[in-house]
Amino acid sequence: MELIKPVIAEIVKEIIKEVLESKSGSFDFIQDIAHPIPAMVLCRMLGIPSEEVQRFIKWSDDIALFMQNFVVSHTPDKEISEQTKGSMKEMYEYLSQAIADRRKEKKNDLLSRIIAETPGENGELRDDQVIAQTIHLIFGGHKIPQFMLSNTLHLLFKHPHIFHQLKEDMSLLPKVLEECMRLEGPIQYITRNAAQDIEIRGAKIKKGDSVYFFLGSAGRDGDVFEEPDEFRIIRNGNRHIGFGGGFHACIAAVFARAEILEILREVFKSFPNLKPVYNLDNPQWTKNPTFHGITTMPVVY
């Protein structure tokens, strides 16, 4: 993890330099920082050339749009479905070629490390499994940090006394991030299918039933958190489940935390007087709570 931090910092500094050179006193935090940087970090890790970043961003955005549409309607919009189908096909073809290239000549990147010389043998991953996991990584590793960056900055804007306290002591940033994950996590609910008939607090759930788990509600559980709707950076045992838990814990949680922290440190260092110029009481949130984040955040510095 320590090896990737300088890479993240380098990318953030490059983007901030571009913002300073191309923007005059204001920019959109989502469009210019939170949206592109996680994608650029992923591409660097996977050994994808920088000129391909925009393609990866589009692929990730298309998947997010499809998944949000699917939650609203179990008969997804035809145009969105076709667009996502095209992006998935492009990703599969691109990654298939990337795997073939690395079999001929390995690179110092994540993709080279996870592909197998004898795919499907002795427990090694087949190429289609590597591609599926990489697509999942591209999506989760892009959108989750994007939404967490937006939600964290928004909460700090809404609580200027905490923002001031953080600027005075940046060692508080990890606590700030955990509290923001609890209050405004990027995934508000997930679904699971019951493996057998069960009963929870009198509610009977049959085998195969879909069950909705509202992570956002769990983060504000008054039986677990004192004054759950308050933004407190000092809490005893902040046991939020924003990154899941048990067998369903996010395997990239450590990386996601480190990436978000590194990005925020560089942003706050470069823009110490960052201020919002959007409606703090009515920001533009994503259209449903599957992926929970702000879509535009004009700021001045």
PDB file of all heavy atoms in Angstrom, residues 262-294:
ATOM      1  N   GLU A 262      -5.332  10.174   0.600  1.00  0.00           N
ATOM      2  CA  GLU A 262      -4.223  10.812  -0.111  1.00  0.00           C
ATOM      3  C   GLU A 262      -4.735  11.936  -1.013  1.00  0.00           C
ATOM      4  O   GLU A 262      -4.138  13.021  -1.096  1.00  0.00           O
ATOM      5  CB  GLU A 262      -3.473   9.772  -0.939  1.00  0.00           C
ATOM      6  CG  GLU A 262      -2.074  10.178  -1.348  1.00  0.00           C
ATOM      7  CD  GLU A 262      -1.132  10.347  -0.175  1.00  0.00           C
ATOM      8  OE1 GLU A 262      -1.283   9.637   0.838  1.00  0.00           O
ATOM      9  OE2 GLU A 262      -0.243  11.230  -0.262  1.00  0.00           O
ATOM     10  N   ILE A 263      -5.859  11.697  -1.697  1.00  0.00           N
ATOM     11  CA  ILE A 263      -6.435  12.711  -2.577  1.00  0.00           C
ATOM     12  C   ILE A 263      -6.878  13.927  -1.758  1.00  0.00           C
ATOM     13  O   ILE A 263      -6.580  15.075  -2.114  1.00  0.00           O
ATOM     14  CB  ILE A 263      -7.626  12.138  -3.370  1.00  0.00           C
ATOM     15  CG1 ILE A 263      -7.135  11.087  -4.364  1.00  0.00           C
ATOM     16  CG2 ILE A 263      -8.375  13.254  -4.106  1.00  0.00           C
ATOM     17  CD1 ILE A 263      -8.239  10.292  -5.033  1.00  0.00           C
ATOM     18  N   LEU A 264      -7.574  13.685  -0.655  1.00  0.00           N
ATOM     19  CA  LEU A 264      -8.068  14.796   0.168  1.00  0.00           C
ATOM     20  C   LEU A 264      -6.919  15.602   0.778  1.00  0.00           C
ATOM     21  O   LEU A 264      -6.989  16.831   0.849  1.00  0.00           O
ATOM     22  CB  LEU A 264      -8.997  14.274   1.269  1.00  0.00           C
ATOM     23  CG  LEU A 264     -10.362  13.755   0.791  1.00  0.00           C
ATOM     24  CD1 LEU A 264     -11.132  13.132   1.950  1.00  0.00           C
ATOM     25  CD2 LEU A 264     -11.178  14.886   0.156  1.00  0.00           C
ATOM     26  N   ARG A 265      -5.862  14.922   1.203  1.00  0.00           N
ATOM     27  CA  ARG A 265      -4.711  15.640   1.769  1.00  0.00           C
ATOM     28  C   ARG A 265      -4.133  16.616   0.749  1.00  0.00           C
ATOM     29  O   ARG A 265      -3.861  17.779   1.071  1.00  0.00           O
ATOM     30  CB  ARG A 265      -3.629  14.648   2.209  1.00  0.00           C
ATOM     31  CG  ARG A 265      -3.926  13.907   3.494  1.00  0.00           C
ATOM     32  CD  ARG A 265      -2.702  13.153   3.990  1.00  0.00           C
ATOM     33  NE  ARG A 265      -3.052  12.258   5.089  1.00  0.00           N
ATOM     34  CZ  ARG A 265      -3.263  10.956   4.953  1.00  0.00           C
ATOM     35  NH1 ARG A 265      -3.131  10.391   3.766  1.00  0.00           N
ATOM     36  NH2 ARG A 265      -3.592  10.224   5.982  1.00  0.00           N
ATOM     37  N   GLU A 266      -3.942  16.144  -0.468  1.00  0.00           N
ATOM     38  CA  GLU A 266      -3.365  16.994  -1.508  1.00  0.00           C
ATOM     39  C   GLU A 266      -4.308  18.142  -1.873  1.00  0.00           C
ATOM     40  O   GLU A 266      -3.864  19.275  -2.099  1.00  0.00           O
ATOM     41  CB  GLU A 266      -3.044  16.164  -2.748  1.00  0.00           C
ATOM     42  CG  GLU A 266      -1.899  15.177  -2.574  1.00  0.00           C
ATOM     43  CD  GLU A 266      -0.569  15.872  -2.339  1.00  0.00           C
ATOM     44  OE1 GLU A 266      -0.387  17.016  -2.807  1.00  0.00           O
ATOM     45  OE2 GLU A 266       0.299  15.272  -1.679  1.00  0.00           O
ATOM     46  N   VAL A 267      -5.614  17.852  -1.939  1.00  0.00           N
ATOM     47  CA  VAL A 267      -6.588  18.891  -2.278  1.00  0.00           C
ATOM     48  C   VAL A 267      -6.615  19.977  -1.203  1.00  0.00           C
ATOM     49  O   VAL A 267      -6.572  21.181  -1.507  1.00  0.00           O
ATOM     50  CB  VAL A 267      -7.995  18.281  -2.456  1.00  0.00           C
ATOM     51  CG1 VAL A 267      -9.067  19.378  -2.522  1.00  0.00           C
ATOM     52  CG2 VAL A 267      -8.047  17.435  -3.719  1.00  0.00           C
ATOM     53  N   PHE A 268      -6.668  19.579   0.058  1.00  0.00           N
ATOM     54  CA  PHE A 268      -6.747  20.569   1.140  1.00  0.00           C
ATOM     55  C   PHE A 268      -5.451  21.364   1.271  1.00  0.00           C
ATOM     56  O   PHE A 268      -5.458  22.533   1.651  1.00  0.00           O
ATOM     57  CB  PHE A 268      -7.076  19.871   2.469  1.00  0.00           C
ATOM     58  CG  PHE A 268      -8.442  19.232   2.498  1.00  0.00           C
ATOM     59  CD1 PHE A 268      -8.705  18.149   3.328  1.00  0.00           C
ATOM     60  CD2 PHE A 268      -9.455  19.698   1.682  1.00  0.00           C
ATOM     61  CE1 PHE A 268      -9.959  17.562   3.361  1.00  0.00           C
ATOM     62  CE2 PHE A 268     -10.717  19.110   1.697  1.00  0.00           C
ATOM     63  CZ  PHE A 268     -10.972  18.041   2.532  1.00  0.00           C
ATOM     64  N   LYS A 269      -4.326  20.718   0.943  1.00  0.00           N
ATOM     65  CA  LYS A 269      -3.045  21.422   0.987  1.00  0.00           C
ATOM     66  C   LYS A 269      -2.955  22.444  -0.140  1.00  0.00           C
ATOM     67  O   LYS A 269      -2.453  23.560   0.054  1.00  0.00           O
ATOM     68  CB  LYS A 269      -1.893  20.412   0.890  1.00  0.00           C
ATOM     69  CG  LYS A 269      -0.509  21.043   0.995  1.00  0.00           C
ATOM     70  CD  LYS A 269       0.568  19.992   1.173  1.00  0.00           C
ATOM     71  CE  LYS A 269       0.713  19.121  -0.067  1.00  0.00           C
ATOM     72  NZ  LYS A 269       1.840  18.156   0.046  1.00  0.00           N
ATOM     73  N   SER A 270      -3.462  22.086  -1.313  1.00  0.00           N
ATOM     74  CA  SER A 270      -3.379  22.966  -2.485  1.00  0.00           C
ATOM     75  C   SER A 270      -4.446  24.052  -2.490  1.00  0.00           C
ATOM     76  O   SER A 270      -4.245  25.123  -3.062  1.00  0.00           O
ATOM     77  CB  SER A 270      -3.498  22.141  -3.766  1.00  0.00           C
ATOM     78  OG  SER A 270      -2.478  21.177  -3.847  1.00  0.00           O
ATOM     79  N   PHE A 271      -5.599  23.763  -1.879  1.00  0.00           N
ATOM     80  CA  PHE A 271      -6.720  24.716  -1.852  1.00  0.00           C
ATOM     81  C   PHE A 271      -7.176  24.933  -0.412  1.00  0.00           C
ATOM     82  O   PHE A 271      -8.257  24.475  -0.011  1.00  0.00           O
ATOM     83  CB  PHE A 271      -7.883  24.205  -2.706  1.00  0.00           C
ATOM     84  CG  PHE A 271      -7.533  23.910  -4.132  1.00  0.00           C
ATOM     85  CD1 PHE A 271      -7.409  22.596  -4.576  1.00  0.00           C
ATOM     86  CD2 PHE A 271      -7.338  24.941  -5.045  1.00  0.00           C
ATOM     87  CE1 PHE A 271      -7.101  22.310  -5.901  1.00  0.00           C
ATOM     88  CE2 PHE A 271      -7.014  24.673  -6.369  1.00  0.00           C
ATOM     89  CZ  PHE A 271      -6.894  23.362  -6.797  1.00  0.00           C
ATOM     90  N   PRO A 272      -6.384  25.619   0.398  1.00  0.00           N
ATOM     91  CA  PRO A 272      -6.725  25.781   1.822  1.00  0.00           C
ATOM     92  C   PRO A 272      -7.980  26.616   2.068  1.00  0.00           C
ATOM     93  O   PRO A 272      -8.570  26.532   3.147  1.00  0.00           O
ATOM     94  CB  PRO A 272      -5.479  26.466   2.397  1.00  0.00           C
ATOM     95  CG  PRO A 272      -4.850  27.153   1.226  1.00  0.00           C
ATOM     96  CD  PRO A 272      -5.103  26.265   0.053  1.00  0.00           C
ATOM     97  N   ASN A 273      -8.387  27.408   1.077  1.00  0.00           N
ATOM     98  CA  ASN A 273      -9.557  28.277   1.268  1.00  0.00           C
ATOM     99  C   ASN A 273     -10.749  27.826   0.416  1.00  0.00           C
ATOM    100  O   ASN A 273     -11.574  28.647   0.000  1.00  0.00           O
ATOM    101  CB  ASN A 273      -9.189  29.727   0.926  1.00  0.00           C
ATOM    102  CG  ASN A 273      -8.082  30.250   1.822  1.00  0.00           C
ATOM    103  OD1 ASN A 273      -8.119  30.081   3.048  1.00  0.00           O
ATOM    104  ND2 ASN A 273      -7.079  30.868   1.222  1.00  0.00           N
ATOM    105  N   LEU A 274     -10.846  26.548   0.173  1.00  0.00           N
ATOM    106  CA  LEU A 274     -11.912  25.992  -0.662  1.00  0.00           C
ATOM    107  C   LEU A 274     -13.293  26.309  -0.069  1.00  0.00           C
ATOM    108  O   LEU A 274     -13.529  26.088   1.122  1.00  0.00           O
ATOM    109  CB  LEU A 274     -11.724  24.481  -0.757  1.00  0.00           C
ATOM    110  CG  LEU A 274     -12.273  23.751  -1.979  1.00  0.00           C
ATOM    111  CD1 LEU A 274     -11.650  24.276  -3.260  1.00  0.00           C
ATOM    112  CD2 LEU A 274     -12.014  22.252  -1.835  1.00  0.00           C
ATOM    113  N   LYS A 275     -14.192  26.814  -0.913  1.00  0.00           N
ATOM    114  CA  LYS A 275     -15.544  27.161  -0.452  1.00  0.00           C
ATOM    115  C   LYS A 275     -16.571  26.725  -1.491  1.00  0.00           C
ATOM    116  O   LYS A 275     -16.304  26.761  -2.700  1.00  0.00           O
ATOM    117  CB  LYS A 275     -15.672  28.669  -0.213  1.00  0.00           C
ATOM    118  CG  LYS A 275     -14.873  29.188   0.973  1.00  0.00           C
ATOM    119  CD  LYS A 275     -15.074  30.687   1.158  1.00  0.00           C
ATOM    120  CE  LYS A 275     -14.347  31.192   2.397  1.00  0.00           C
ATOM    121  NZ  LYS A 275     -12.896  30.937   2.328  1.00  0.00           N
ATOM    122  N   PRO A 276     -17.765  26.320  -1.039  1.00  0.00           N
ATOM    123  CA  PRO A 276     -18.805  25.872  -1.980  1.00  0.00           C
ATOM    124  C   PRO A 276     -19.544  27.044  -2.606  1.00  0.00           C
ATOM    125  O   PRO A 276     -19.742  28.079  -1.968  1.00  0.00           O
ATOM    126  CB  PRO A 276     -19.743  25.059  -1.085  1.00  0.00           C
ATOM    127  CG  PRO A 276     -19.637  25.733   0.264  1.00  0.00           C
ATOM    128  CD  PRO A 276     -18.200  26.192   0.365  1.00  0.00           C
ATOM    129  N   VAL A 277     -19.960  26.872  -3.846  1.00  0.00           N
ATOM    130  CA  VAL A 277     -20.846  27.844  -4.488  1.00  0.00           C
ATOM    131  C   VAL A 277     -22.052  27.101  -5.077  1.00  0.00           C
ATOM    132  O   VAL A 277     -22.557  27.442  -6.143  1.00  0.00           O
ATOM    133  CB  VAL A 277     -20.124  28.681  -5.574  1.00  0.00           C
ATOM    134  CG1 VAL A 277     -19.197  29.689  -4.934  1.00  0.00           C
ATOM    135  CG2 VAL A 277     -19.346  27.787  -6.543  1.00  0.00           C
ATOM    136  N   TYR A 278     -22.469  26.076  -4.359  1.00  0.00           N
ATOM    137  CA  TYR A 278     -23.692  25.347  -4.706  1.00  0.00           C
ATOM    138  C   TYR A 278     -24.583  25.336  -3.464  1.00  0.00           C
ATOM    139  O   TYR A 278     -24.148  25.709  -2.363  1.00  0.00           O
ATOM    140  CB  TYR A 278     -23.380  23.922  -5.171  1.00  0.00           C
ATOM    141  CG  TYR A 278     -22.756  23.026  -4.116  1.00  0.00           C
ATOM    142  CD1 TYR A 278     -23.548  22.194  -3.323  1.00  0.00           C
ATOM    143  CD2 TYR A 278     -21.377  23.005  -3.904  1.00  0.00           C
ATOM    144  CE1 TYR A 278     -22.985  21.387  -2.351  1.00  0.00           C
ATOM    145  CE2 TYR A 278     -20.814  22.209  -2.942  1.00  0.00           C
ATOM    146  CZ  TYR A 278     -21.619  21.387  -2.165  1.00  0.00           C
ATOM    147  OH  TYR A 278     -21.057  20.589  -1.198  1.00  0.00           O
ATOM    148  N   ASN A 279     -25.814  24.922  -3.612  1.00  0.00           N
ATOM    149  CA  ASN A 279     -26.778  24.918  -2.513  1.00  0.00           C
ATOM    150  C   ASN A 279     -26.476  23.768  -1.557  1.00  0.00           C
ATOM    151  O   ASN A 279     -26.756  22.608  -1.861  1.00  0.00           O
ATOM    152  CB  ASN A 279     -28.196  24.783  -3.078  1.00  0.00           C
ATOM    153  CG  ASN A 279     -29.266  24.958  -2.005  1.00  0.00           C
ATOM    154  OD1 ASN A 279     -28.993  24.881  -0.809  1.00  0.00           O
ATOM    155  ND2 ASN A 279     -30.497  25.189  -2.440  1.00  0.00           N
ATOM    156  N   LEU A 280     -25.912  24.080  -0.404  1.00  0.00           N
ATOM    157  CA  LEU A 280     -25.543  23.044   0.561  1.00  0.00           C
ATOM    158  C   LEU A 280     -26.756  22.275   1.080  1.00  0.00           C
ATOM    159  O   LEU A 280     -26.644  21.113   1.469  1.00  0.00           O
ATOM    160  CB  LEU A 280     -24.791  23.660   1.746  1.00  0.00           C
ATOM    161  CG  LEU A 280     -23.355  24.129   1.484  1.00  0.00           C
ATOM    162  CD1 LEU A 280     -22.773  24.769   2.732  1.00  0.00           C
ATOM    163  CD2 LEU A 280     -22.476  22.966   1.033  1.00  0.00           C
ATOM    164  N   ASP A 281     -27.907  22.927   1.110  1.00  0.00           N
ATOM    165  CA  ASP A 281     -29.115  22.274   1.628  1.00  0.00           C
ATOM    166  C   ASP A 281     -29.849  21.462   0.570  1.00  0.00           C
ATOM    167  O   ASP A 281     -30.746  20.686   0.899  1.00  0.00           O
ATOM    168  CB  ASP A 281     -30.071  23.322   2.211  1.00  0.00           C
ATOM    169  CG  ASP A 281     -29.471  24.035   3.415  1.00  0.00           C
ATOM    170  OD1 ASP A 281     -28.801  23.344   4.217  1.00  0.00           O
ATOM    171  OD2 ASP A 281     -29.650  25.260   3.545  1.00  0.00           O
ATOM    172  N   ASN A 282     -29.473  21.649  -0.679  1.00  0.00           N
ATOM    173  CA  ASN A 282     -30.144  20.913  -1.757  1.00  0.00           C
ATOM    174  C   ASN A 282     -29.174  20.626  -2.899  1.00  0.00           C
ATOM    175  O   ASN A 282     -29.362  21.088  -4.027  1.00  0.00           O
ATOM    176  CB  ASN A 282     -31.357  21.707  -2.258  1.00  0.00           C
ATOM    177  CG  ASN A 282     -32.206  20.905  -3.228  1.00  0.00           C
ATOM    178  OD1 ASN A 282     -32.256  19.676  -3.154  1.00  0.00           O
ATOM    179  ND2 ASN A 282     -32.858  21.594  -4.155  1.00  0.00           N
ATOM    180  N   PRO A 283     -28.126  19.848  -2.629  1.00  0.00           N
ATOM    181  CA  PRO A 283     -27.166  19.535  -3.705  1.00  0.00           C
ATOM    182  C   PRO A 283     -27.783  18.552  -4.697  1.00  0.00           C
ATOM    183  O   PRO A 283     -28.825  17.954  -4.429  1.00  0.00           O
ATOM    184  CB  PRO A 283     -26.004  18.888  -2.945  1.00  0.00           C
ATOM    185  CG  PRO A 283     -26.650  18.263  -1.751  1.00  0.00           C
ATOM    186  CD  PRO A 283     -27.773  19.185  -1.366  1.00  0.00           C
ATOM    187  N   GLN A 284     -27.131  18.373  -5.831  1.00  0.00           N
ATOM    188  CA  GLN A 284     -27.617  17.433  -6.842  1.00  0.00           C
ATOM    189  C   GLN A 284     -27.069  16.036  -6.540  1.00  0.00           C
ATOM    190  O   GLN A 284     -25.942  15.707  -6.889  1.00  0.00           O
ATOM    191  CB  GLN A 284     -27.191  17.887  -8.241  1.00  0.00           C
ATOM    192  CG  GLN A 284     -27.839  19.179  -8.696  1.00  0.00           C
ATOM    193  CD  GLN A 284     -27.473  19.532 -10.132  1.00  0.00           C
ATOM    194  OE1 GLN A 284     -27.235  18.664 -10.965  1.00  0.00           O
ATOM    195  NE2 GLN A 284     -27.435  20.820 -10.423  1.00  0.00           N
ATOM    196  N   TRP A 285     -27.905  15.236  -5.885  1.00  0.00           N
ATOM    197  CA  TRP A 285     -27.524  13.870  -5.562  1.00  0.00           C
ATOM    198  C   TRP A 285     -27.793  12.960  -6.757  1.00  0.00           C
ATOM    199  O   TRP A 285     -28.560  13.298  -7.651  1.00  0.00           O
ATOM    200  CB  TRP A 285     -28.320  13.349  -4.365  1.00  0.00           C
ATOM    201  CG  TRP A 285     -28.029  14.024  -3.066  1.00  0.00           C
ATOM    202  CD1 TRP A 285     -28.737  15.029  -2.486  1.00  0.00           C
ATOM    203  CD2 TRP A 285     -26.931  13.755  -2.184  1.00  0.00           C
ATOM    204  NE1 TRP A 285     -28.167  15.401  -1.295  1.00  0.00           N
ATOM    205  CE2 TRP A 285     -27.055  14.632  -1.085  1.00  0.00           C
ATOM    206  CE3 TRP A 285     -25.866  12.857  -2.204  1.00  0.00           C
ATOM    207  CZ2 TRP A 285     -26.160  14.633  -0.022  1.00  0.00           C
ATOM    208  CZ3 TRP A 285     -24.964  12.853  -1.144  1.00  0.00           C
ATOM    209  CH2 TRP A 285     -25.109  13.737  -0.075  1.00  0.00           C
ATOM    210  N   THR A 286     -27.181  11.789  -6.759  1.00  0.00           N
ATOM    211  CA  THR A 286     -27.519  10.772  -7.744  1.00  0.00           C
ATOM    212  C   THR A 286     -29.000  10.439  -7.613  1.00  0.00           C
ATOM    213  O   THR A 286     -29.615  10.678  -6.576  1.00  0.00           O
ATOM    214  CB  THR A 286     -26.674   9.504  -7.528  1.00  0.00           C
ATOM    215  OG1 THR A 286     -26.701   9.155  -6.133  1.00  0.00           O
ATOM    216  CG2 THR A 286     -25.244   9.723  -7.950  1.00  0.00           C
ATOM    217  N   LYS A 287     -29.573   9.868  -8.664  1.00  0.00           N
ATOM    218  CA  LYS A 287     -31.025   9.744  -8.736  1.00  0.00           C
ATOM    219  C   LYS A 287     -31.623   8.672  -7.838  1.00  0.00           C
ATOM    220  O   LYS A 287     -32.827   8.648  -7.626  1.00  0.00           O
ATOM    221  CB  LYS A 287     -31.444   9.499 -10.192  1.00  0.00           C
ATOM    222  CG  LYS A 287     -31.173  10.698 -11.098  1.00  0.00           C
ATOM    223  CD  LYS A 287     -31.628  10.440 -12.517  1.00  0.00           C
ATOM    224  CE  LYS A 287     -31.361  11.654 -13.396  1.00  0.00           C
ATOM    225  NZ  LYS A 287     -31.785  11.425 -14.811  1.00  0.00           N
ATOM    226  N   ASN A 288     -30.829   7.741  -7.366  1.00  0.00           N
ATOM    227  CA  ASN A 288     -31.346   6.758  -6.410  1.00  0.00           C
ATOM    228  C   ASN A 288     -30.223   6.342  -5.474  1.00  0.00           C
ATOM    229  O   ASN A 288     -29.045   6.584  -5.764  1.00  0.00           O
ATOM    230  CB  ASN A 288     -31.962   5.554  -7.132  1.00  0.00           C
ATOM    231  CG  ASN A 288     -30.933   4.665  -7.800  1.00  0.00           C
ATOM    232  OD1 ASN A 288     -30.138   4.029  -7.131  1.00  0.00           O
ATOM    233  ND2 ASN A 288     -30.930   4.635  -9.127  1.00  0.00           N
ATOM    234  N   PRO A 289     -30.576   5.731  -4.350  1.00  0.00           N
ATOM    235  CA  PRO A 289     -29.568   5.480  -3.314  1.00  0.00           C
ATOM    236  C   PRO A 289     -28.662   4.280  -3.522  1.00  0.00           C
ATOM    237  O   PRO A 289     -27.887   3.952  -2.642  1.00  0.00           O
ATOM    238  CB  PRO A 289     -30.425   5.292  -2.047  1.00  0.00           C
ATOM    239  CG  PRO A 289     -31.714   4.748  -2.551  1.00  0.00           C
ATOM    240  CD  PRO A 289     -31.932   5.398  -3.880  1.00  0.00           C
ATOM    241  N   THR A 290     -28.746   3.619  -4.678  1.00  0.00           N
ATOM    242  CA  THR A 290     -27.815   2.512  -4.902  1.00  0.00           C
ATOM    243  C   THR A 290     -26.387   3.031  -4.815  1.00  0.00           C
ATOM    244  O   THR A 290     -25.556   2.507  -4.080  1.00  0.00           O
ATOM    245  CB  THR A 290     -28.030   1.893  -6.300  1.00  0.00           C
ATOM    246  OG1 THR A 290     -29.415   1.733  -6.535  1.00  0.00           O
ATOM    247  CG2 THR A 290     -27.311   0.571  -6.405  1.00  0.00           C
ATOM    248  N   PHE A 291     -26.116   4.076  -5.582  1.00  0.00           N
ATOM    249  CA  PHE A 291     -24.832   4.763  -5.512  1.00  0.00           C
ATOM    250  C   PHE A 291     -25.125   6.186  -5.075  1.00  0.00           C
ATOM    251  O   PHE A 291     -25.753   6.953  -5.804  1.00  0.00           O
ATOM    252  CB  PHE A 291     -24.122   4.724  -6.868  1.00  0.00           C
ATOM    253  CG  PHE A 291     -23.938   3.340  -7.374  1.00  0.00           C
ATOM    254  CD1 PHE A 291     -24.683   2.875  -8.440  1.00  0.00           C
ATOM    255  CD2 PHE A 291     -23.047   2.481  -6.763  1.00  0.00           C
ATOM    256  CE1 PHE A 291     -24.539   1.577  -8.893  1.00  0.00           C
ATOM    257  CE2 PHE A 291     -22.898   1.174  -7.213  1.00  0.00           C
ATOM    258  CZ  PHE A 291     -23.650   0.725  -8.271  1.00  0.00           C
ATOM    259  N   HIS A 292     -24.663   6.520  -3.909  1.00  0.00           N
ATOM    260  CA  HIS A 292     -25.077   7.749  -3.245  1.00  0.00           C
ATOM    261  C   HIS A 292     -23.943   8.767  -3.275  1.00  0.00           C
ATOM    262  O   HIS A 292     -22.931   8.616  -2.596  1.00  0.00           O
ATOM    263  CB  HIS A 292     -25.453   7.408  -1.790  1.00  0.00           C
ATOM    264  CG  HIS A 292     -25.865   8.580  -0.974  1.00  0.00           C
ATOM    265  ND1 HIS A 292     -26.970   9.344  -1.267  1.00  0.00           N
ATOM    266  CD2 HIS A 292     -25.333   9.111   0.154  1.00  0.00           C
ATOM    267  CE1 HIS A 292     -27.107  10.294  -0.360  1.00  0.00           C
ATOM    268  NE2 HIS A 292     -26.119  10.183   0.507  1.00  0.00           N
ATOM    269  N   GLY A 293     -24.119   9.795  -4.109  1.00  0.00           N
ATOM    270  CA  GLY A 293     -23.093  10.824  -4.176  1.00  0.00           C
ATOM    271  C   GLY A 293     -23.620  12.056  -4.881  1.00  0.00           C
ATOM    272  O   GLY A 293     -24.701  12.047  -5.469  1.00  0.00           O
ATOM    273  N   ILE A 294     -22.856  13.117  -4.801  1.00  0.00           N
ATOM    274  CA  ILE A 294     -23.236  14.381  -5.424  1.00  0.00           C
ATOM    275  C   ILE A 294     -22.640  14.424  -6.828  1.00  0.00           C
ATOM    276  O   ILE A 294     -21.503  14.013  -7.043  1.00  0.00           O
ATOM    277  CB  ILE A 294     -22.757  15.561  -4.563  1.00  0.00           C
ATOM    278  CG1 ILE A 294     -23.433  15.486  -3.186  1.00  0.00           C
ATOM    279  CG2 ILE A 294     -23.074  16.898  -5.226  1.00  0.00           C
ATOM    280  CD1 ILE A 294     -22.930  16.500  -2.193  1.00  0.00           C
TER     281      ILE A 294
END
